[in-house]
Amino acid sequence: MPQFIRIDMGTKTVKTEACPEQYAGLAGRGLTSIFVADEVKPTCHPLGKYNKLIFAPGFLTGTSAANSGRLSCGAKSPLTGGIKESNTGGTFGQKMAKMDIKAIVFEGLPTEDKYYVVKVTMDGVTIEEAPAETIGMGNYEAIKVLQAKYGPKVGVAIIGPAGEMRLTGANISFADPQSNIRSAGRGGLGAVMGSKKIKAVIIDDTGAKGVTIAHPEAFKGASKRFTNALTTHPVTGQGLPKYGTNVLVNILNEAGGLPTKNFREGRNAWANNIGGETMAATIEARGGKTTHGCHAGCIIRCSQHYHDKEGKYLTSGFEYETVWALGANGCIDDLDAIAYADREFDDVGVDSIETAVAVNVAQEAGIIPWGDAKAMLDLILEIRKGTPLGRIVGSGAAAVGQMYGVTRVPVVKNQSIPAYDPRAVKGVGLTYATTPMGADHTAGYAVATNILKVGGFVDPLGKEGQVELSRNLQIATAAVDSTGMCLFIAFAILDIADGFNALVEMINAKYDLALTGDDVVALGKTILKAERGFNQRAGFTNAHDRLPEFFEEKCAPHGVTWDFTDAEIDEVFNF
Amino acid sequence: MSETIELRAFMGLTDVFRQRGWDNPTTIDVPGETSGPKLLALLELPREAVEVVFVNGKAASPEAAVVRGGDRVALAPPGVPGPYRVLLGFRKMG
């Protein structure tokens, strides 16, 4: 029977129970979001005693299925004030699943000024004072300290100095198989963990029996078909492994959707210098790795090891959105400087999208010049120092805009808009506007042909078909986020329908179920409605589903504007 | 009459350009209005090497693409992640 663990950080008590019936058929985002909607007071202060932080692996996390290593983290977001699910790779989720732990919930607040380490083993849960040297320490070093103390293979979830300061841009970092860093980045969940005075959660699966599969042969067969779909597809077999997600810089630049100089234009002249092709050539020349998996069993391997000029490891998980924000939107034509920034984001423990866009707003405010790499790095280092300016930048784009009287602030529900201009890629603009998560490109990501029935080509510059496209992508994504699968599997499933069928069959084989594709769609809708319901009870209305007014300006090279009416936007969630 | 286009290559096609000693971007002459298949033939690129031809920032299948002098053209091979292939109009749905 799967365990449901509740840890009260106020009383330091632990309750381990069988999974409550209402959560038994859920996992991943489905579980975290429905749990938060059920148990968290929507009007609570996100850093107060009523908020709860939940970790939940997906349906297939910990199995032998390819790319099934994801963990969902949920709470009320201190950044958006709404519901949040943020998911991550690393080793933590697979260990939870192998220990048959359905969820770990952190509740309550300590009154004393101490940080704790929560340790989860097969013998139970203990709460002990965090090693003093880890307080204020960067995540790379702190993970080493903790793995030296608790074991080199333990899973680690940790907050950096930003989480200790409870900054709304703070993330939760997770050790990957090489003890580098993956992150549940968006929405400030690191601040929630910091408010509960949890420096780190350690998980040791020694003695765990591993996941049980109801029908092993059926699972094996479906898993093989699923793997075949991923390895034979050009996106997951060739594109992502070599170029990472940064493959998108040149593509979006060509399409006129690469926001440049704080969304003033959709194309720039230096994109190729910061794009995936240049990045791959640089990595190869310096002896790094163009391909790397963020969790055991990943066969897409979109991550990389980016080395500095001396050939020393600098960063991994060096994503398109981070490169875009600093390189294109901040006009910093210097991939090495962006890589140093990416490392610092991971080390201090902030979301690399939110904080990089906060830097853009700081450029807009005149705090630092456009295109100045040194000034950008110096500004980011202020976060670690805890200076007033550092805390503002570490609190995200909207905070910088508010403090400096800037109106050109690209956020929805206080969360920064990532790397795709909503005027030139209108479908993603509708997702930014309407997702309960605040502006989030990954909220509308999963494409499966048997879910998506839009019909015909969708012109990215036009309005036709975009409402249905955004709606269907969001429904499919909510479902895939519950599987424990990396969302990037959807990059391939689009073209190989059997890949999606195999995914559903793996879930059925593991749990002895008979789900169909329609059930998966229904699950996606249920999750989205629960999330939107929470936000409504927290005070959100349709008026919050709007893009900033500067998107009424024309965007070069296509001269397009954000031209959806309120009524059209509101149709996205009419299902 | 020949006309000039500006041509870019992305992902694995950048290696092809490099192996051929071409700049990226490069300029090439086309014989007036040229269809996508004729362009690929001119470049000696097989159809399967190109999923989409961008003409002045708008994506089209090679079969639907038409280039003219003065155009900015880019070639994307298979490998662009799925959601973007839908959102940027590469992929017909339904």
Side-chain angles (χ1 to χ4, degrees):
Chain A
M1 181 68 90
Q3 294 179 307
F4 203 93
I5 300 174
R6 292 173 185 268
I7 300 164
D8 187 326
M9 293 305 295
T11 59
K12 314 291 179 306
T13 54
V14 178
K15 195 166 119 187
T16 301
E17 57 189 3
C19 180
E21 198 180 329
Q22 72 265 36
Y23 305 134
L26 299 168
R29 176 174 166 185
L31 176 52
T32 64
S33 286
I34 288 171
F35 171 85
V36 170
D38 273 4
E39 293 204 14
V40 174
K41 188 177 170 184
T43 53
C44 76
H45 194 293
L47 304 181
K49 61 184 176 182
Y50 293 120
N51 202 2
K52 299 183 182 185
L53 175 66
I54 176 170
F55 292 173
F59 284 118
L60 296 170
T61 305
T63 68
S64 60
N67 285 76
S68 60
R70 302 297 288 189
L71 175 75
S72 289
C73 306
K76 176 171 175 171
S77 164
L79 180 73
T80 68
I83 198 165
K84 175 58 62 180
E85 185 265 357
S86 186
N87 68 62
T88 182
T91 63
F92 201 100
Q94 290 171 325
K95 289 179 189 293
M96 274 181 78
K98 287 173 183 169
M99 294 166 77
D100 206 15
I101 300 171
K102 187 87 172 170
I104 305 174
V105 176
F106 305 95
E107 311 180 350
L109 291 184
T111 50
E112 67 280 8
D113 191 21
K114 282 181 187 170
Y115 276 96
Y116 294 94
V117 169
V118 175
K119 188 178 163 195
V120 181
T121 71
M122 291 302 288
D123 296 326
V125 177
T126 53
I127 303 168
E128 49 197 74
E129 208 169 320
E133 67 268 36
T134 61
I135 308 305
M137 183 181 266
N139 281 327
Y140 277 101
E141 193 63 27
I143 287 172
K144 281 185 193 162
V145 170
L146 292 170
Q147 290 188 324
K149 180 176 166 85
Y150 294 103
K153 297 288 179 194
V154 296
V156 180
I158 189 168
I159 56 165
E164 293 174 24
M165 288 185 261
R166 298 178 296 285
L167 305 182
T168 48
N171 65 18
I172 303 175
S173 294
F174 291 82
D176 80 358
Q178 285 75 44
S179 302
N180 290 317
I181 292 170
R182 312 303 302 184
S183 305
R186 306 224 71 188
L189 296 188
V192 180
M193 190 159 145
S195 74
K196 298 186 184 305
K197 297 283 180 186
I198 303 166
K199 176 65 185 173
V201 185
I202 302 296
I203 189 159
D204 185 346
D205 61 347
T206 303
K209 62 182 171 44
V211 295
T212 51
I213 307 283
H215 303 289
E217 283 308 310
F219 186 90
K220 206 170 152 188
S223 174
K224 197 173 169 187
R225 281 163 41 218
F226 182 75
T227 300
N228 193 46
L230 294 185
T231 51
T232 57
H233 194 281
V235 177
T236 44
Q238 300 157 35
L240 285 172
K242 179 153 186 191
Y243 306 108
T245 56
N246 207 23
V247 70
L248 288 165
V249 168
N250 274 322
I251 298 290
L252 266 295
N253 193 55
E254 200 58 32
L258 186 74
T260 296
K261 202 173 183 184
N262 199 18
F263 290 83
R264 282 185 172 77
E265 295 180 49
R267 186 184 281 166
N268 65 60
W270 63 90
N272 189 50
N273 300 340
I274 56 172
E277 295 86 347
T278 301
M279 185 170 90
T282 305
I283 289 171
E284 282 169 358
R286 293 176 181 175
K289 295 179 187 172
T290 54
T291 187
H292 166 251
C294 77
H295 62 268
C298 170
I299 59 173
I300 298 177
R301 298 172 63 83
C302 70
S303 180
Q304 63 295 104
H305 283 182
Y306 187 94
H307 289 184
D308 64 15
K309 283 178 179 148
E310 279 71 51
K312 193 176 157 203
Y313 171 86
L314 194 53
T315 195
S316 59
F318 194 20
E319 306 291 351
Y320 162 66
E321 289 77 14
T322 314
V323 173
W324 154 75
L326 297 174
N329 216 34
C331 309
I332 295 167
D333 181 6
D334 183 339
L335 198 54
D336 280 345
I338 302 168
Y340 278 105
D342 189 60
R343 183 182 174 91
E344 178 62 14
F345 291 151
D346 287 347
D347 204 38
V348 76
V350 290
D351 176 22
S352 63
I353 299 176
E354 191 61 49
T355 316
V357 178
V359 169
N360 299 153
V361 179
Q363 292 172 311
E364 186 75 40
I367 301 168
I368 61 168
W370 300 103
D372 187 332
K374 182 176 183 307
M376 176 270 289
L377 288 167
D378 288 345
L379 179 64
I380 291 167
L381 286 167
E382 292 287 312
I383 302 171
R384 182 183 294 262
K385 295 175 195 162
T387 62
L389 178 58
R391 287 171 185 258
I392 292 168
V393 172
S395 296
V400 178
Q402 185 179 1
M403 291 304 124
Y404 287 87
V406 176
T407 54
R408 195 180 186 87
V409 182
V411 297
V412 179
K413 301 182 182 74
N414 251 14
Q415 183 164 283
S416 61
I417 294 176
Y420 315 87
D421 196 292
R423 293 162 292 190
V425 196
K426 289 200 190 311
V428 80
L430 286 172
T431 299
Y432 292 155
T434 59
T435 169
M437 295 295 147
D440 181 355
H441 61 295
T442 68
Y445 231 41
V447 190
T449 40
N450 43 354
I451 290 178
L452 202 60
K453 302 285 185 195
V454 175
F457 290 99
V458 176
D459 175 3
L461 306 176
K463 297 200 311 188
E464 194 178 342
Q466 302 287 9
V467 166
E468 294 78 12
L469 178 60
S470 173
R471 180 192 300 140
N472 289 330
L473 289 171
Q474 290 193 59
I475 290 168
T477 300
V480 172
D481 275 342
S482 302
T483 62
M485 287 285 168
C486 169
L487 202 45
F488 290 3
I489 62 161
F491 293 173
I493 283 179
L494 168 65
D495 300 301
I496 306 173
D498 190 51
F500 181 78
N501 297 336
L503 177 61
V504 177
E505 285 172 34
M506 282 193 288
I507 296 171
N508 288 339
K510 181 178 187 307
Y511 294 96
D512 189 24
L513 297 171
L515 301 176
T516 64
D518 289 344
D519 294 320
V520 174
V521 174
L523 173 65
K525 288 180 179 174
T526 301
I527 294 165
L528 289 177
K529 284 182 176 171
E531 291 170 345
R532 195 166 173 87
F534 180 91
N535 281 2
Q536 285 168 340
R537 296 193 297 282
F540 285 82
T541 68
N542 287 355
H544 294 90
D545 293 344
R546 304 291 180 257
L547 297 189
E549 61 195 27
F550 71 81
F551 286 111
E552 293 167 8
E553 296 169 14
K554 284 185 179 174
C555 178
H558 296 300
V560 279
T561 60
W562 178 250
D563 51 359
F564 285 99
T565 64
D566 290 351
E568 286 167 339
I569 296 169
D570 294 343
E571 274 301 300
V572 175
F573 265 74
N574 184 14
F575 59 86
Chain B
M1 195 178 80
S2 73
E3 299 169 341
T4 301
I5 63 167
E6 186 180 60
L7 182 68
R8 285 173 171 73
F10 301 141
M11 294 189 272
L13 289 173
T14 59
D15 297 331
V16 174
F17 272 38
R18 191 168 50 246
Q19 285 154 14
R20 295 181 180 182
W22 298 354
D23 290 337
N24 189 16
T26 186
T27 52
I28 64 159
D29 290 339
V30 294
E33 190 173 285
T34 303
S35 69
K38 277 188 185 162
L39 177 68
L40 296 191
L42 193 66
L43 297 169
E44 296 179 1
L45 287 172
R47 170 65 182 85
E48 61 271 18
V50 178
E51 180 176 24
V52 153
V53 180
F54 281 99
V55 182
N56 299 324
K58 294 183 181 176
S61 68
E63 287 70 28
V66 178
V67 304
R68 297 174 184 85
D71 283 345
R72 173 177 169 136
V73 179
L75 307 174
V80 175
Y84 304 102
R85 294 170 55 233
V86 176
L87 289 160
L88 297 175
F90 289 18
R91 178 69 155 75
K92 189 173 180 177
M93 300 305 303

